[in-house]
Amino acid sequence: MKFSTREDIEVPIAYTFAQVSDFAAFERRALRHGAQITRVDAGPVQAGSEWKIAFKFRGRNRALDATLSILDAPNAYQVLGASDGMKVTTDIELVALSPTRTRIVVGMDIRAKTMTSRLVLQSMKLAKAKLTKRFRARILEFSEDIEDGYRKAQ
């Protein structure tokens, strides 16, 4: 199942990439939402960096292994995740529309590897319209936060 959206924001691409690739902030956000997250490797985040994430979803404890597979600053990155029979690929792409305007393109592809995960994915497909709406709203909110942060920094 695929989700994708794009947002145009009034922020230079370099600042936008710094915000969308602030993995330490994403770790803090996940911790605030009750997830347990551990960085596997040390040092700066680069292609090949890994995280182990544990969280509760639909009443069950889940585990997710995430790997930053591609890091092409300031244009794009890709995170591959594997959890309980599912594979998740998240792509973030930035396009400079002008020196002060950037397009953020976010795509997520979820694939099932086991019969149990296929059933979960099928139930998600039944609610795809609602999930897509929520996905787009979160990306819009994140984009607005980036714009607000940039305005405050100026």
Side-chain angles (χ1 to χ4, degrees):
M1 182 164 53
K2 293 184 181 183
F3 297 98
S4 65
T5 188
R6 67 180 186 187
E7 293 296 330
D8 295 345
I9 59 175
E10 295 291 331
V11 179
I13 192 169
Y15 183 87
T16 304
F17 189 80
Q19 297 303 305
V20 300
S21 64
D22 186 357
F23 297 104
F26 292 137
E27 289 175 22
R28 289 190 300 275
R29 182 177 290 176
L31 289 171
R32 280 195 306 269
H33 288 280
Q36 296 173 344
I37 186 162
T38 306
R39 174 104 183 266
V40 175
D41 54 331
V45 174
Q46 58 189 357
S49 293
E50 296 181 23
W51 292 265
K52 293 213 178 282
I53 305 163
F55 57 97
K56 198 167 211 153
F57 181 70
R58 293 191 176 184
R60 290 188 54 204
N61 292 326
R62 311 284 180 166
L64 174 73
D65 295 329
T67 304
L68 183 64
S69 61
I70 299 171
L71 182 61
D72 177 24
N75 302 312
Y77 69 85
Q78 181 182 68
V79 178
L80 301 177
S83 170
D84 297 337
M86 285 198 188
K87 289 176 63 176
V88 180
T89 304
T90 304
D91 294 300
I92 310 291
E93 182 181 347
L94 302 178
V95 179
L97 301 175
S98 74
T100 60
R101 191 165 177 83
T102 304
R103 174 169 291 158
I104 302 172
V105 181
V106 181
M108 182 180 284
D109 184 22
I110 305 170
R111 298 197 183 263
K113 296 188 297 185
T114 65
M115 185 58 86
T116 306
S117 60
R118 284 187 181 130
L119 291 172
V120 171
L121 199 57
Q122 187 62 36
S123 67
M124 289 173 66
K125 285 181 181 179
L126 295 173
K128 187 163 191 317
K130 183 179 178 181
L131 292 172
T132 300
K133 186 177 178 180
R134 231 192 280 168
F135 179 77
R136 288 185 174 155
R138 293 255 173 111
I139 301 302
L140 175 61
E141 179 184 338
F142 185 66
S143 299
E144 289 171 348
D145 289 346
I146 293 172
E147 276 187 325
D148 293 342
Y150 181 73
R151 282 191 215 115
K152 289 177 184 174
Q154 295 302 314

